[in-house]
Amino acid sequence: MRVIEHLNKAKGKTLFSFEILPPLKGKSIDSIYESIDPLLEFNPNFINVTYHREEYIYKKREGGYLEKVTIRKRPGTVGICAGIINKYKIDAVPHIICGGFSREETENALLDLQYLGIDNVLALRGDAIKTETTFVPEPGGNKYAVELVEQIIQINKGEFLDGEKFEASTHPFCIGVAGYPEKHFEAPNFKADLNYLKAKVDAGAEYIVTQLFYDNSAYFRFVDACKNEGINVPIIPGLKPIVNKKQLTVLPKIFNIDIPFELYELMDAAQTDAQAKQIGIEWGIAQSKELIAKGVPCLHFYTMGKSEAVKSIAKAVF
Ligand code: FAD
């Protein structure tokens, strides 16, 4: 079922969903199932699976030469989605990105998804690879997520890149896109970022999932600003429990987000790892309870392959 149908059917009830990462290359899919199983009791409506593009590493060869090698540390997004649908009968949402794909490769990837009966995608641009300072699209690839949304809509309408028509699927893709309550780090300002977000919705995205945040007021401000801009699709808050002190500095760096001073003070004062984790879980519970009370469509948790803290929060609020 399409994510938007789940949201519409819920009639005001807050749904539960989460995101997982494909396992590291060489690890079995069982590690994925082990992270999903503990969360099944909360009846997730859909499970997102992230996409990880290639990276370049240098391998030392005989004679001391360094060879630039392409590796993909976490392949398997589409296969894992098919595995989830097959094993749990729960809708899976593959993330699909612009980076590393020509538009033709994207078209083929979309056809694969259709053959597998997957009718949801989260359409993203992706980040710059580590060896580049800014995002560089693949030759002939999409530059911004909005172009990817446009391409998916074209497939939904039954038209290939070359203009050739085909019989449109009776299960058109439901497209979600990313939104940033604290602004995307590259955007010149909050308003410009919102305009670009609106362009994704106008192009055909049916809902938004937010970047993680720890201050609910940032989310509420964002939702209000979206409404003022004429963005009227559901905005799903993305949450990730903070579970150790190291994350106080790591998460802002990776995700360009702010940790509220109160949370920082509480975590910083923790005497043990267990205490720090408990503080993070309690913060997540308080955040979730307030979001549910305000009637958010769904709580979407970033598990990053670790479901324990998410389970503690879900147990307290669902
Ligand atoms: P876009 O919407 O294209 O925006 C990127 C930047 O360009 C923004 O600053 C925007 O303001 C600006 N912009 C947009 N359109 C234009 C335009 N026409 N002209 C000028 N500027 C413009 N990354 C992965 O690699 N894999 C994943 O699985 C993944 N999952 C994610 C899930 C969620 C919920 C979120 C929030 C992020 C995820 N990301 C993932 C990270 C994401 O790829 C990065 O944040 C990326 O830098 C931006 O992606 P986007 O889709 O928001 O890009």
Side-chain angles (χ1 to χ4, degrees):
M1 191 156 89
R2 304 169 87 243
V3 167
I4 194 69
E5 289 171 47
H6 283 288
L7 299 173
N8 289 341
K9 260 180 63 179
K11 295 201 171 82
K13 180 178 165 260
T14 300
L15 304 182
F16 169 65
S17 65
F18 59 91
E19 175 189 292
I20 57 164
L21 275 68
L24 283 168
K25 192 171 174 179
K27 271 198 146 193
S28 135
I29 194 166
D30 290 339
S31 63
I32 289 294
Y33 297 148
E34 280 157 21
S35 70
I36 293 176
D37 288 343
L39 300 176
L40 290 178
E41 64 179 285
F42 310 108
N43 298 319
N45 292 82
F46 51 94
I47 300 173
N48 281 47
V49 184
T50 55
Y51 188 89
H52 299 258
R53 66 177 296 189
E54 77 285 3
E55 291 173 32
Y56 295 109
I57 57 159
Y58 288 91
K59 281 204 167 167
K60 212 169 197 173
R61 298 293 186 213
E62 226 173 282
Y65 288 112
L66 288 178
E67 190 190 349
K68 194 175 175 188
V69 186
T70 314
I71 55 156
R72 201 177 286 276
K73 283 188 183 161
R74 294 179 184 274
T77 301
V78 173
I80 291 166
C81 285
I84 290 172
I85 293 171
N86 187 37
K87 184 173 162 76
Y88 300 109
K89 315 289 176 246
I90 295 174
D91 285 303
V93 184
H95 292 191
I96 174 163
I97 65 171
C98 304
F101 283 84
S102 68
R103 300 185 83 224
E104 197 181 355
E105 285 162 342
T106 298
E107 184 166 277
N108 292 336
L110 292 170
L111 293 179
D112 276 343
L113 295 180
Q114 279 192 335
Y115 297 147
L116 287 166
I118 296 173
D119 48 13
N120 289 292
V121 286
L122 193 72
L124 303 142
R125 187 196 67 180
D127 282 318
I129 50 174
K130 285 195 184 101
T131 43
E132 285 168 349
T133 46
T134 50
F135 176 82
V136 180
E138 204 63 9
N142 293 310
K143 191 173 174 196
Y144 292 108
V146 64
E147 295 172 12
L148 180 55
V149 173
E150 285 162 359
Q151 184 177 3
I152 302 167
I153 291 291
Q154 198 180 334
I155 288 285
N156 278 353
K157 288 181 177 158
E159 189 180 333
F160 288 123
L161 281 175
D162 60 7
E164 195 190 323
K165 302 271 193 280
F166 65 98
E167 197 179 328
S169 168
T170 48
H171 298 277
F173 288 110
C174 174
I175 309 167
V177 289
Y180 302 83
E182 298 174 60
K183 185 182 95 61
H184 184 263
F185 71 103
E186 289 169 30
N189 53 61
F190 188 71
K191 176 132 174 77
D193 205 23
L194 276 189
N195 287 343
Y196 293 131
L197 177 58
K198 182 164 190 304
K200 294 192 276 192
V201 173
D202 290 346
E206 293 184 75
Y207 67 100
I208 295 164
V209 184
T210 76
Q211 181 60 281
L212 52 98
F213 58 89
Y214 293 93
D215 178 356
N216 282 353
S217 62
Y219 169 81
F220 297 132
R221 261 197 314 274
F222 176 67
V223 171
D224 285 346
C226 284
K227 284 200 181 116
N228 288 338
E229 283 300 319
I231 299 172
N232 294 311
V233 296
I235 302 177
I236 298 176
L239 300 171
K240 174 183 162 37
I242 187 164
V243 289
N244 58 52
K245 284 189 186 186
K246 208 172 143 210
Q247 289 177 331
L248 289 174
T249 47
V250 170
L251 295 174
K253 198 169 153 202
I254 300 178
F255 299 106
N256 300 285
I257 49 131
D258 209 39
I259 305 278
F261 188 71
E262 191 190 340
L263 174 57
Y264 155 75
E265 261 196 328
L266 286 167
M267 290 287 284
D268 201 42
Q271 301 291 315
T272 63
D273 289 349
Q275 264 178 19
K277 189 172 180 183
Q278 193 52 33
I279 289 164
I281 289 171
E282 279 165 20
W283 189 274
I285 292 172
Q287 258 195 295
S288 302
K289 282 188 173 166
E290 189 186 19
L291 290 165
I292 292 174
K294 296 267 183 183
V296 299
C298 179
L299 292 184
H300 185 71
F301 288 92
Y302 299 108
T303 69
M304 315 245 169
K306 296 197 171 69
S307 45
E308 205 190 319
V310 173
K311 180 172 176 165
S312 302
I313 296 173
K315 230 186 173 82
V317 302
F318 285 109

